[in-house]
């Protein structure tokens, strides 16, 4: 009798590896998805930007700042316009700009933001960074000589003041030409002069300076902001750059000037009249804003209109950055509306006057220092912040609902017996609105060691600290590598399993054939014997 195996059981046994492989694959995909989404969310909450793509693509050589001059004083447009709510003074206006921020120029507090951490093309507001590097690395009396690349490397239809190859102007005149008339060849010439080499070298300096300022969503490739898909920034980063520039009187003077004259040069005998493009500082314009101290406009087809301004009312000075706006007129109405909202609804508070750190925060900070210095110290540390820290806070909100969290630096900065370890983050409604330095005193890496009990508690705190401070970040490349390695191992195991199963199957089939042949032989012998009888 032929013995048959249960086919369902056989299929089930062979399906097990397939189920395992599918489960692992699905788990890997889910972890990768969770990591990606949580990282993006954390990037917004903690100003750690995800590698998001730029909304527009630079596909043409658009005329820089063309919209600033083409938009008439009536400011008519078929696109969205600024919407204010005069009957609801506590309600923020709806802006025509798709990306915006208002930052306190003194404290760095964020008073308002709209997609402020998303990467966008800046156009000519790039020149604010070019100004910063120039004022930090040159003298106003230095002579800038225009190179062939500076003159002919730009689209002649873009903003320029007609400088020729070999023409020389002072650094002061160059800064006026760049900031008032947004001259692209001048920005290029300044970049080459500052770097002592090529515009690529200058772009490297720009990016290094941006990182030092805390700009995490910025990458520059030129000094003037003409279109390039790898040239982008964020409203928040531009506000930080502008804040740094406002620390220089020369920047305030140049950008607050309505008219400047460049005298005869080594090539041109005629004077060049330079005029400020930003209408918010022009008393003759309908867009004039009495509190505006200066500004820089920008425009390309890809970036649309961009605008950076700074305004001061009383003791409060604010920086407003707008990007990706249809129509220069809308950038002016947006700026004025959001300035008025912030000046009306915000006032300076000192929320940290009575703030104290709890034992968990102290323990986490000690763990952070011990981890960095590879120590096991049980030093009696003291956490310190600026108790007089001022925060521009919305009068319509409840300051008691502020939340506080610590964000540690990648590594502590030691200055004598003081360690700067990170920042105390102030948030409201889940959004960060302020930050101040967190320092530590009393730490000694070689101090008394933790007892076994304290070590055990510290270990527990070390594990818990990242959970309360920030989301777990799992690197996608490591996930993919680990998943592929695991799948390869499981596949090899599966192949070995199949090989063994087939070997067993062949052995069973061989045994069956042998049994069948033996049975056949016996039957044949019986049949032959019966015939003989």
């Amino acid at each position: 009798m032929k013995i048959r195996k249960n086919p369902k059981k056989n299929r089930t046994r062979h399906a097990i590896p397939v189920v395992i492989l599918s489960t692992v694959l699905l788990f890997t995909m889910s972890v990768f998805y969770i990591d990606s989404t949580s990282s993006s969310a954390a990037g917004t909450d903690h100003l750690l930007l995800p590698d998001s793509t730029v909304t527009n693509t630079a596909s043409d050589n658009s005329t820089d700042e063309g919209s600033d001059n083409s938009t008439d004083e009536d400011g008519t447009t078929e696109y969205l316009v600024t919407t204010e709510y005069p009957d609801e003074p506590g309600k923020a206006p709806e802006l025509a700009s798709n990306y915006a921020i208002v930052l306190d120029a003194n404290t760095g507090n964020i008073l308002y933001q709209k997609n402020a951490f998303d990467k966008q093309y800046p156009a000519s507001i790039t020149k604010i960074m070019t100004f910063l590097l120039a004022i930090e690395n040159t003298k106003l009396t230095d002579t800038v000589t225009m190179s062939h690349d500076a003159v002919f490397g730009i689209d002649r239809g873009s903003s320029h003041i007609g400088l020729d190859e070999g023409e020389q102007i002072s650094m002061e005149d160059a800064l006026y030409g760049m900031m008032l008339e947004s001259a692209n060849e001048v920005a290029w010439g300044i970049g080459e002069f500052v770097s002592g080499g090529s515009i690529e070298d200058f772009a490297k300096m720009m990016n290094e300076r941006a990182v030092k300022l805390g700009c995490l969503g910025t990458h520059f490739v030129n000094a003037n902001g003409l279109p390039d898909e790898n040239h982008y920034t964020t409203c928040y980063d531009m506000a930080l750059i502008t804040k740094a520039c406002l620390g220089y009187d020369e920047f305030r003077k140049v950008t607050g000037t309505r008219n400047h004259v460049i005298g005869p040069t080594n090539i041109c005998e005629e004077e060049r009249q330079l005029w400020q493009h930003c209408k918010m500082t022009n008393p003759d314009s309908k867009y004039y804003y009495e509190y505006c101290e200066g500004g820089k406009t920008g425009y390309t087809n890809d970036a649309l209109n961009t605008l950076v301004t700074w305004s001061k009312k009383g003791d409060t000075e604010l920086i407003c950055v707008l990007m990706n706006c249809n129509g220069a007129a809308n950038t002016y109405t947006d700026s004025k509306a959001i300035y008025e909202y912030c000046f009306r609804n915000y006032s300076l508070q000192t929320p940290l006057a009575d703030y104290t750190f709890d034992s968990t925060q102290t323990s986490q900070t000690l763990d952070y220092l011990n981890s960095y210095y590879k120590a096991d110290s049980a030093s009696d540390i003291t956490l310190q912040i600026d108790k007089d820290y001022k925060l521009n806070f919305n009068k319509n909100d409840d300051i008691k609902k502020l939340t506080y969290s610590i964000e540690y630096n990648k590594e502590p900065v030691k200055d004598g017996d003081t360690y700067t370890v990170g920042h105390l983050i102030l948030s409201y409604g889940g959004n960060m609105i302020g930050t101040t330095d967190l320092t530590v005193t009393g730490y000694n890496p070689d101090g008394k060691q933790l007892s076994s009990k304290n070590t055990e508690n510290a270990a527990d705190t070390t594990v818990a600290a990242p959970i309360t401070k920030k989301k777990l970040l799992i690197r996608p490349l490591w996930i993919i590598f680990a998943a592929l390695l695991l799948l390869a191992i499981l596949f090899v195991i599966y192949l070995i399993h199949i090989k063994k199963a087939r070997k067993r199957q062949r052995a069973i089939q061989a045994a069956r054939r042998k049994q069948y042949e033996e049975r056949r032989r016996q039957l044949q012998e019986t049949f032959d014997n019966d015939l003989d009888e």
Side-chain angles (χ1 to χ4, degrees), residues 99-101 115-116 118 233-240 321-323:
Y99 305 85
I101 195 170
N115 306 317
D118 294 346
T233 186
T234 70
C235 287
Y236 177 72
D237 287 358
M238 280 307 308
L240 294 180
V321 181
L322 305 175
M323 299 175 72

Side-chain angles (χ1 to χ4, degrees), residues 205-237:
M205 292 178 65
M206 296 172 80
N207 293 324
E208 290 174 350
R209 187 69 177 96
V211 171
K212 289 181 180 179
L213 290 173
C215 303
L216 302 179
T218 293
H219 185 265
F220 294 128
V221 298
N222 59 55
N224 48 38
L226 286 176
D228 189 292
E229 62 182 4
N230 294 314
H231 188 96
Y232 52 81
T233 186
T234 70
C235 287
Y236 177 72
D237 287 358

Side-chain angles (χ1 to χ4, degrees), residues 167-169 173 261-272:
E167 191 163 3
Q168 296 179 331
I169 58 175
D173 283 340
V261 178
I262 296 180
T265 67
N266 61 319
I267 290 180
C268 180
E269 297 180 356
E270 299 178 355
E271 292 183 342
R272 289 183 172 91

Side-chain angles (χ1 to χ4, degrees), residues 217-505:
T218 293
H219 185 265
F220 294 128
V221 298
N222 59 55
N224 48 38
L226 286 176
D228 189 292
E229 62 182 4
N230 294 314
H231 188 96
Y232 52 81
T233 186
T234 70
C235 287
Y236 177 72
D237 287 358
M238 280 307 308
L240 294 180
I241 295 168
T242 304
K243 182 176 181 292
C245 276
L246 289 174
Y248 294 93
D249 292 337
E250 296 86 349
F251 179 76
R252 292 178 178 274
K253 178 183 177 183
V254 170
T255 56
T257 299
R258 287 190 61 198
N259 173 246
H260 180 76
V261 178
I262 296 180
T265 67
N266 61 319
I267 290 180
C268 180
E269 297 180 356
E270 299 178 355
E271 292 183 342
R272 289 183 172 91
Q273 293 285 338
L274 310 178
W275 294 93
Q276 171 66 264
H277 283 193
C278 180
K279 293 179 172 63
M280 292 184 72
T281 59
N282 182 3
D284 298 328
S285 171
K286 66 181 293 185
Y287 302 113
Y288 174 69
Y289 183 55
E290 60 180 316
Y291 301 112
C292 185
E293 302 173 297
K296 182 71 192 78
T297 60
Y299 175 82
T300 66
N301 286 347
D302 295 307
L304 299 182
N305 289 95
T306 61
L307 178 65
V308 177
T309 56
W310 42 100
S311 301
K312 187 173 184 179
K313 185 176 182 180
D315 295 329
T316 301
E317 185 174 35
L318 305 178
I319 298 168
C320 178
V321 181
L322 305 175
M323 299 175 72
N324 194 249
C325 182
N326 278 303
N330 284 334
T331 62
Y332 299 133
T333 55
D334 273 1
S335 297
K336 182 178 179 180
I338 199 62
Y339 274 135
E340 286 296 290
Y341 165 77
C342 290
F343 282 133
R344 182 172 61 245
N345 288 281
Y346 283 80
S347 62
L348 287 174
Q349 307 287 333
T350 53
L352 302 179
D354 299 319
Y355 185 83
T356 57
F357 292 95
D358 58 36
S359 58
T360 300
Q361 292 171 315
T362 303
S363 177
Q364 289 175 359
T365 304
L366 180 61
D367 293 337
Y368 161 81
L369 289 167
N370 280 338
S371 175
Y372 178 80
Y373 289 105
K374 295 180 173 56
D376 194 25
S377 173
S379 301
D380 186 13
I381 63 173
T382 301
L383 277 60
Q384 298 176 330
I385 51 174
D386 181 8
K387 294 282 189 175
D388 296 324
Y389 171 80
K390 290 181 172 55
L391 173 71
N392 248 314
F393 193 73
N394 196 316
K395 301 174 184 177
N396 305 295
D397 294 333
D398 184 0
I399 199 167
K400 294 180 180 179
K401 293 183 178 180
L402 278 175
T403 58
Y404 309 90
S405 61
I406 295 176
E407 185 158 295
Y408 296 100
N409 295 334
K410 185 177 180 181
E411 58 185 42
V413 178
K414 189 175 185 297
D415 182 12
D417 295 330
T418 302
Y419 298 79
T420 301
V421 297
H423 301 85
L424 182 68
I425 307 297
L426 291 78
S427 301
Y428 191 89
N431 296 316
M432 191 206 82
I433 60 173
T435 177
T436 186
D437 287 343
L438 172 64
T439 59
V440 171
T441 57
Y443 179 71
N444 180 9
D446 301 321
K448 61 179 181 179
Q449 303 300 302
L450 293 168
S451 66
S452 58
K453 181 178 180 180
N454 288 337
T455 304
E456 190 175 290
N457 292 336
D460 292 340
T461 307
T462 304
V463 173
I467 297 175
T468 57
K469 186 174 79 74
K470 58 177 70 176
K471 294 180 175 65
L472 178 64
L473 296 180
I474 306 173
R475 300 296 181 187
L477 289 178
W478 282 107
I479 293 175
I480 295 172
F481 176 77
L484 290 175
L485 180 61
L486 182 59
L487 288 174
I489 294 173
L490 291 173
F491 184 70
V492 171
I493 295 174
Y494 176 72
L495 290 178
I496 295 173
H497 169 76
I498 292 296
K499 184 176 181 181
K500 290 182 177 180
R502 288 177 178 174
K503 185 176 180 181
R504 287 195 300 270
Q505 186 68 21

